[in-house]
Amino acid sequence: MTKTTSGNFFEDFRLGQKITHATPRTVTTGDVALYNALYGSRFPVQSSDAFAYAIGYPRAPLDDLLVFHIVFGKTVPDISLNAVANLGYADCRFLHAVYPGDTLTAVSEVIGLKENSSRKTGVVYVRSTGFKQDGAKVLEYVRWVMVRKRDEAAVAPGDHVPQLPKSVEPATLGPACPQIALRSYDFALAGSPHRFEAYEVGEKIDHVDGMALEEAEHQLATRLYQNTARVHFNLFAQAKDRFGRRLVYGGVVISLARALSFNGLANAFHIAAINGGRHVAPMFAGATVFAWSQVLAKADLPGRTDVGALRLRTIATKDKPCADFPLKEGDADDPAVILDLDYWVLMPR
Amino acid sequence: MTKTTSGNFFEDFRLGQKITHATPRTVTTGDVALYNALYGSRFPVQSSDAFAYAIGYPRAPLDDLLVFHIVFGKTVPDISLNAVANLGYADCRFLHAVYPGDTLTAVSEVIGLKENSSRKTGVVYVRSTGFKQDGAKVLEYVRWVMVRKRDEAAVAPGDHVPQLPKSVEPATLGPACPQIALRSYDFALAGSPHRFEAYEVGEKIDHVDGMALEEAEHQLATRLYQNTARVHFNLFAQAKDRFGRRLVYGGVVISLARALSFNGLANAFHIAAINGGRHVAPMFAGATVFAWSQVLAKADLPGRTDVGALRLRTIATKDKPCADFPLKEGDADDPAVILDLDYWVLMPR
Amino acid sequence: MTKTTSGNFFEDFRLGQKITHATPRTVTTGDVALYNALYGSRFPVQSSDAFAYAIGYPRAPLDDLLVFHIVFGKTVPDISLNAVANLGYADCRFLHAVYPGDTLTAVSEVIGLKENSSRKTGVVYVRSTGFKQDGAKVLEYVRWVMVRKRDEAAVAPGDHVPQLPKSVEPATLGPACPQIALRSYDFALAGSPHRFEAYEVGEKIDHVDGMALEEAEHQLATRLYQNTARVHFNLFAQAKDRFGRRLVYGGVVISLARALSFNGLANAFHIAAINGGRHVAPMFAGATVFAWSQVLAKADLPGRTDVGALRLRTIATKDKPCADFPLKEGDADDPAVILDLDYWVLMPR
């Protein structure tokens, strides 16, 4: 009877279920300009057609995270409209570069379901895949999310927790990155002389700069991704909820941290994979985001001498500069920490 | 002597007067991206070149309301800079799809003038027309607006109230919509299985979601349309005025309501006409907009079996969810209602 | 050891030093749309491909100030990250029109150094040049900025104050402006009948309108230009600083004043040069910007009968309408004045 969607509840999901998400989206240089205005990203491959072309791309590709957010946004109305919390990401790989003019669509498969002991909620695991108009996969990732039940008495729709890799295998990295013409990679234009070889495992980098976030900014960003989660927009409802205000979409924090990381990682021009991520604490408008990173590992890419992979852990904080690398207070998370992201980037060798 | 425009006053208008408006405007994918970021629209025809092409468009057309706002914006410096209130719209028809790269211009004709009994103001009726660079009409509408007199003693420039249709004739709908290839219309990608046939006259739909609005957002939107009305921007002057703050351009509310209406009307991919509209109460930043719709009528389009027309009444509210379809409190308007819009949309059959 | 840039201090500069700035930037119609949304500019040459083409451009060029801000933004990480104050501009000439698709880079040469008597700071003079992908110069300007020393005891790196012209020679104006086909310049579409000949030296013009500025707006603008100066973004640090809040990038005020100046100068379609400029007082979000202009001089362009040059002084204020042309209070600056800009514009004859 009703034509209005109120989203899926835990008992609506089925193991193995495949969901085609609305709305297909052609990405453009307009999206790129907005992404720049929202985060101030300075990585040259995504900023300059000329730079990208010189090193082997047909033109500047979209920022990897812009692609991620658009694909993620499509999954929200079907997967997480009734979510209590976004619990984690795993096994996220960027498979194909995306250019202005490409059209993105997304499909998810339910790969795990686990009711919580309260019987009020359950955890849904989905593998979501983004496609281009020609059917090529551009992105694949797993996320799990705690979803409300419509009816506590409803029977749990399954009970299976998938095995997920702790990190993406380096041997699988790089399909979205063409062979890089190193002689044409201009390190002065890129903003830093530091290549892959200059980074050491264990090294910590304070990204120094801080970026304040306004309500209008995170709303513009989240709508750009056609992400409809009500917690980001419905001030009327949020004002009565536990936080009393709108929550910032976690992807905004990821993009801010990535943009800040340019100062120290200027040549980390491509995110090849996300091993895992945790939104440690909620972010609200009005706070200033800072970030630091640690090199967790380094890896060669099979058969490639142009680029190497750094495994990074980037920590973002709110209202706390990162000169002393805040992370824990005793056994607990430092209350200023809002993001703990584990990912692979590619750098020229 | 002065080179500064302070706009036309009531006594400056003449019946039959034609006004060519500044500034011509080339619309681009940049405008589309901003429109998406401002409202979060999800209708697939406007979002995806691939979807639009599959069903019969050369590529994704601009959102109808983006075209409306840009044409409307051009008329402001000549028609409504000295307006007290925008009283109504009628007979608005979308005549030609607009694509990125098109350049829009606007012309208005004064079709009615009626001084108010106070002799301080008068009502100006204009028929405004938007054109593409090749001279094709893209949009035509009537609006009437109460305009101040510069000089109370000035003689009224005319006294004629035009006859306006209560609604646009269904037989005239659809010139901006190509023949739709229904077999290529993907209802899963579109986000809803509900076609024209699924809607019944009288049916009410709560669009559920709420969207808060920030000062920066409505200013960005209104400037994007090159709409210069001072009430939206001049905080210094507005702070001393009756509301004490900036007024939100009514078109922002229309676009928010339209974007919200996706939840329940996902396949209403084209606004073919606006029969009438009333900004019931002013909107200010900080409020959350909700909306509901009622199907007023259904109509076939002569000679077309691809699409049908729904006549909708969409009500937008501020800070009031619409589960119980707020409209009136006794004989008066519900104080939460800010928009009452009557329009025709096209849906696949 | 550290891979993080904390910017150059006064003692790091050398006379004659040339600095290649990161990050190359391809400008697009997305940037144009955002620029429109941020300032509401209405000059038809930059707004309409059709208008621009009719008078002699291949298509609508980017707003001159958008080009200026992008080039300026690139210089910030190397020149002014440790600046106390941006002291002035001189000898700024626009040399080549920039179109969507062009890629901009920037280089600076240190042309002057002067330590202050406190030995805590020094003034750095740089000539910065913006280039297109084909090597053509698009923009050249001098600015000088007071920069902190890292170490008070450090020896001053030089002592030379360059000779700078009070204004740009009219004979050198116009290389970025093609021959204008006056018969195709539509003054109705342009929004004003007033040509070059209509303006008199000494004439003052109140631009009437006022535009409020939000934090989100100046942050979006400044990031769009990839300008990383912390005073615009780092609320956490600024809250503890002398102003207690974020400073608005001075270029935002210049763009707002230019957009407001359309009302009175609608046919001043191209900024050919900036003779000098002073940010008289800091701007903060929440204030409303007004502007007025005075014609300082008029000049012919050698060998050209299509356009003439007006030398303008545009004054911007905050929270003070400009009907009585505010400038001084006794010998001091009127406390409402925030910008005093001296520049050349071209107008059709």
Side-chain angles (χ1 to χ4, degrees):
Chain A
M1 189 202 74
T2 179
K3 298 187 174 67
T4 305
T5 304
S6 54
N8 289 310
F9 290 84
F10 181 63
E11 62 266 41
D12 298 328
F13 292 98
R14 293 290 172 270
L15 213 56
Q17 182 184 1
K18 288 189 183 170
I19 301 170
T20 297
H21 304 295
T23 298
R25 172 81 147 76
T26 301
V27 294
T28 69
T29 55
D31 298 308
V32 172
L34 260 162
Y35 194 85
N36 285 341
L38 287 162
Y39 307 113
S41 188
R42 289 183 285 152
F43 294 98
V45 172
Q46 288 76 25
S47 177
S48 165
D49 282 343
F51 191 99
Y53 185 77
I55 66 168
Y57 286 86
R59 64 185 290 193
L62 263 68
D63 193 288
D64 304 301
L65 293 173
L66 175 54
V67 175
F68 178 84
H69 298 323
I70 289 177
V71 171
F72 183 100
K74 296 192 185 325
T75 70
V76 166
D78 298 310
I79 306 299
S80 51
L81 216 56
N82 298 302
V84 181
N86 201 30
L87 298 175
Y89 310 102
D91 204 18
C92 171
R93 293 186 307 137
F94 291 87
L95 300 169
H96 211 292
V98 176
Y99 300 98
D102 283 342
T103 298
L104 300 177
T105 54
V107 169
S108 294
E109 181 178 357
V110 179
I111 61 167
L113 290 167
K114 177 75 184 170
E115 192 176 40
N116 286 315
S117 55
S118 71
R119 301 206 57 194
K120 293 182 180 173
T121 57
V123 180
V124 180
Y125 297 78
V126 290
R127 180 177 298 275
S128 298
T129 309
F131 296 91
K132 292 174 78 141
Q133 67 281 358
D134 61 3
K137 288 185 185 180
V138 299
L139 175 68
E140 203 170 46
Y141 67 95
V142 173
R143 75 163 164 144
W144 55 107
V145 58
M146 195 190 302
V147 177
R148 283 188 197 87
K149 287 174 77 178
R150 185 187 287 107
D151 173 10
E152 278 187 45
V155 175
D159 188 358
H160 174 71
V161 175
Q163 291 294 320
L164 295 170
K166 288 275 186 212
S167 73
V168 174
E169 278 301 310
T172 69
L173 300 176
C177 176
Q179 189 70 22
I180 298 303
L182 287 178
R183 271 174 302 186
S184 301
Y185 190 104
D186 186 323
F187 288 85
L189 284 181
S192 162
H194 305 297
R195 300 165 184 239
F196 176 70
E197 288 76 10
Y199 292 82
E200 288 177 30
V201 174
E203 183 175 353
K204 290 180 179 178
I205 301 165
D206 170 20
H207 301 306
V208 178
D209 306 309
M211 182 68 71
L213 183 71
E214 299 295 318
E215 298 280 10
E217 292 167 349
H218 78 82
Q219 290 203 149
L220 287 167
T222 309
R223 281 187 299 243
L224 185 69
Y225 316 140
Q226 297 172 311
N227 177 334
T228 61
R230 66 184 63 124
V231 292
H232 311 314
F233 302 113
N234 191 334
L235 173 58
F236 180 81
Q238 289 300 109
K240 298 167 178 165
D241 205 42
R242 57 180 167 152
F243 297 118
R245 53 193 306 198
R246 283 162 282 179
L247 282 169
V248 172
Y249 162 50
V252 169
V253 175
I254 296 177
S255 283
L256 282 172
R258 167 73 174 158
L260 291 171
S261 80
F262 178 85
N263 196 349
L265 291 162
N267 292 313
F269 67 86
H270 172 48
I271 297 183
I274 299 174
N275 301 308
R278 192 163 66 97
H279 296 294
V280 180
M283 169 71 184
F284 305 104
T288 302
V289 174
F290 297 86
W292 65 275
S293 297
Q294 183 167 30
V295 181
L296 298 182
K298 298 181 67 171
D300 297 332
L301 265 60
R304 292 185 72 158
T305 57
D306 56 336
V307 292
L310 288 191
R311 185 173 170 188
L312 297 173
R313 182 184 193 180
T314 292
I315 304 294
T317 62
K318 56 183 176 190
D319 291 335
K320 185 164 190 171
C322 294
D324 56 356
F325 312 114
L327 184 59
K328 294 284 178 187
E329 278 195 356
D331 289 341
D333 295 315
D334 184 311
V337 171
I338 53 179
L339 175 73
D340 186 350
L341 192 72
D342 177 342
Y343 58 111
W344 287 105
V345 294
L346 301 192
M347 295 189 98
R349 306 191 71 137
Chain B
M1 188 201 78
T2 179
K3 297 187 176 67
T4 305
T5 304
S6 54
N8 289 310
F9 290 85
F10 181 62
E11 62 265 41
D12 299 328
F13 293 97
R14 293 289 173 271
L15 212 57
Q17 182 183 2
K18 288 190 182 169
I19 302 170
T20 297
H21 305 294
T23 299
R25 173 80 147 77
T26 301
V27 294
T28 69
T29 55
D31 298 308
V32 172
L34 260 162
Y35 193 85
N36 285 340
L38 287 163
Y39 307 113
S41 189
R42 288 183 285 153
F43 295 97
V45 172
Q46 288 75 26
S47 176
S48 165
D49 282 343
F51 191 98
Y53 184 77
I55 67 168
Y57 287 86
R59 63 185 292 192
L62 262 68
D63 192 288
D64 304 300
L65 292 173
L66 175 54
V67 176
F68 178 85
H69 298 324
I70 288 176
V71 171
F72 184 99
K74 296 192 184 325
T75 71
V76 167
D78 298 311
I79 306 299
S80 51
L81 216 55
N82 298 302
V84 181
N86 201 31
L87 298 174
Y89 310 102
D91 204 18
C92 171
R93 292 187 306 137
F94 292 86
L95 301 169
H96 211 292
V98 176
Y99 300 99
D102 283 342
T103 297
L104 300 177
T105 56
V107 170
S108 294
E109 181 177 356
V110 179
I111 61 168
L113 290 166
K114 177 75 185 170
E115 191 176 40
N116 286 315
S117 55
S118 71
R119 302 205 57 191
K120 293 182 179 171
T121 57
V123 180
V124 180
Y125 297 78
V126 290
R127 181 177 297 276
S128 299
T129 309
F131 296 92
K132 293 173 79 141
Q133 65 282 359
D134 61 3
K137 288 185 185 179
V138 299
L139 175 68
E140 204 170 46
Y141 68 95
V142 174
R143 75 162 163 143
W144 54 107
V145 58
M146 195 191 302
V147 177
R148 282 188 197 86
K149 288 174 75 178
R150 185 187 288 107
D151 172 10
E152 277 187 45
V155 175
D159 188 359
H160 175 72
V161 174
Q163 291 294 320
L164 295 170
K166 287 275 186 212
S167 72
V168 174
E169 277 302 309
T172 68
L173 300 176
C177 176
Q179 190 69 24
I180 299 301
L182 287 178
R183 272 175 301 187
S184 301
Y185 190 105
D186 185 324
F187 288 85
L189 284 181
S192 162
H194 305 297
R195 300 167 184 237
F196 177 70
E197 288 75 10
Y199 292 83
E200 287 177 29
V201 173
E203 183 175 354
K204 290 180 179 178
I205 301 164
D206 170 20
H207 301 306
V208 179
D209 307 309
M211 182 68 71
L213 183 70
E214 300 294 318
E215 298 281 11
E217 292 167 351
H218 78 83
Q219 291 203 148
L220 287 167
T222 309
R223 280 186 300 242
L224 185 69
Y225 315 140
Q226 297 173 311
N227 177 333
T228 61
R230 67 183 63 123
V231 293
H232 311 313
F233 301 113
N234 191 334
L235 173 58
F236 180 82
Q238 289 299 110
K240 298 166 178 166
D241 205 41
R242 56 181 166 151
F243 297 118
R245 53 194 306 199
R246 283 163 282 179
L247 282 169
V248 172
Y249 163 49
V252 169
V253 175
I254 296 177
S255 284
L256 282 173
R258 167 74 174 158
L260 291 171
S261 80
F262 178 86
N263 196 349
L265 291 162
N267 292 313
F269 67 87
H270 172 49
I271 296 182
I274 299 175
N275 300 308
R278 193 164 65 98
H279 296 294
V280 181
M283 170 71 184
F284 305 104
T288 301
V289 175
F290 297 86
W292 65 275
S293 297
Q294 183 167 29
V295 181
L296 297 182
K298 297 180 69 171
D300 296 333
L301 267 59
R304 292 185 72 158
T305 57
D306 56 335
V307 292
L310 289 190
R311 184 174 171 189
L312 296 173
R313 181 185 194 181
T314 293
I315 304 294
T317 61
K318 55 183 177 189
D319 291 336
K320 184 164 190 172
C322 293
D324 56 356
F325 311 115
L327 184 61
K328 294 284 179 188
E329 277 196 355
D331 289 341
D333 295 314
D334 184 311
V337 170
I338 54 177
L339 174 73
D340 186 349
L341 192 71
D342 177 342
Y343 58 111
W344 286 106
V345 295
L346 301 192
M347 295 189 98
R349 303 191 74 136
Chain C
M1 188 201 76
T2 179
K3 297 188 175 66
T4 305
T5 303
S6 54
N8 289 311
F9 290 85
F10 181 62
E11 62 264 43
D12 298 328
F13 293 98
R14 293 290 173 270
L15 212 57
Q17 182 184 1
K18 289 191 182 170
I19 301 170
T20 298
H21 304 293
T23 299
R25 173 81 147 77
T26 301
V27 294
T28 69
T29 55
D31 298 309
V32 172
L34 260 163
Y35 193 85
N36 285 341
L38 287 163
Y39 307 112
S41 188
R42 289 183 286 153
F43 295 96
V45 173
Q46 287 76 27
S47 177
S48 165
D49 282 343
F51 191 98
Y53 185 77
I55 66 168
Y57 287 87
R59 64 184 292 193
L62 262 69
D63 192 288
D64 304 301
L65 293 173
L66 175 53
V67 175
F68 178 85
H69 298 323
I70 288 176
V71 170
F72 184 99
K74 296 193 185 328
T75 70
V76 167
D78 298 311
I79 306 299
S80 51
L81 215 55
N82 298 303
V84 181
N86 200 32
L87 298 174
Y89 310 102
D91 203 17
C92 171
R93 293 186 306 137
F94 292 86
L95 300 169
H96 211 293
V98 176
Y99 300 98
D102 283 342
T103 297
L104 300 177
T105 55
V107 169
S108 294
E109 181 177 357
V110 179
I111 61 167
L113 290 166
K114 177 75 185 171
E115 191 176 40
N116 285 314
S117 56
S118 72
R119 301 206 58 193
K120 292 182 180 172
T121 57
V123 180
V124 180
Y125 297 78
V126 290
R127 181 177 297 276
S128 298
T129 309
F131 296 92
K132 292 174 78 142
Q133 66 282 358
D134 62 3
K137 288 185 185 180
V138 298
L139 174 68
E140 203 170 46
Y141 68 94
V142 173
R143 76 162 163 144
W144 55 106
V145 58
M146 194 190 303
V147 177
R148 282 189 197 86
K149 288 174 76 178
R150 184 187 288 106
D151 172 10
E152 277 187 45
V155 175
D159 187 358
H160 174 72
V161 174
Q163 290 295 319
L164 295 170
K166 287 276 185 210
S167 73
V168 174
E169 277 301 309
T172 68
L173 300 176
C177 176
Q179 190 69 24
I180 298 303
L182 287 178
R183 273 176 300 187
S184 301
Y185 191 104
D186 185 325
F187 288 86
L189 284 181
S192 163
H194 304 297
R195 299 166 185 240
F196 176 70
E197 289 75 9
Y199 291 83
E200 287 176 29
V201 174
E203 182 175 355
K204 290 179 180 179
I205 301 164
D206 171 19
H207 301 306
V208 179
D209 307 308
M211 183 67 72
L213 182 70
E214 299 295 319
E215 298 280 10
E217 292 167 350
H218 77 83
Q219 290 204 148
L220 287 168
T222 309
R223 280 186 301 243
L224 185 68
Y225 315 140
Q226 297 173 310
N227 177 333
T228 60
R230 66 183 64 123
V231 292
H232 311 314
F233 301 113
N234 191 335
L235 173 58
F236 180 81
Q238 288 300 109
K240 298 169 178 164
D241 205 44
R242 56 182 167 149
F243 296 117
R245 52 194 307 200
R246 283 163 282 179
L247 283 169
V248 172
Y249 162 49
V252 169
V253 175
I254 296 177
S255 284
L256 282 172
R258 166 74 174 158
L260 291 170
S261 80
F262 178 84
N263 196 350
L265 292 162
N267 292 314
F269 66 87
H270 172 48
I271 296 182
I274 299 175
N275 301 308
R278 192 163 66 97
H279 295 294
V280 180
M283 170 72 184
F284 305 104
T288 301
V289 174
F290 297 86
W292 65 275
S293 297
Q294 184 167 29
V295 180
L296 298 183
K298 297 181 68 172
D300 297 333
L301 267 59
R304 292 185 72 158
T305 57
D306 55 336
V307 292
L310 288 190
R311 184 174 172 189
L312 297 173
R313 181 185 194 179
T314 292
I315 304 294
T317 62
K318 55 183 176 189
D319 291 335
K320 185 165 192 171
C322 293
D324 56 355
F325 311 115
L327 184 60
K328 294 284 179 187
E329 278 195 356
D331 289 342
D333 295 314
D334 183 312
V337 171
I338 52 178
L339 174 73
D340 186 348
L341 192 72
D342 177 341
Y343 58 111
W344 287 105
V345 294
L346 301 191
M347 293 190 99
R349 304 191 73 135

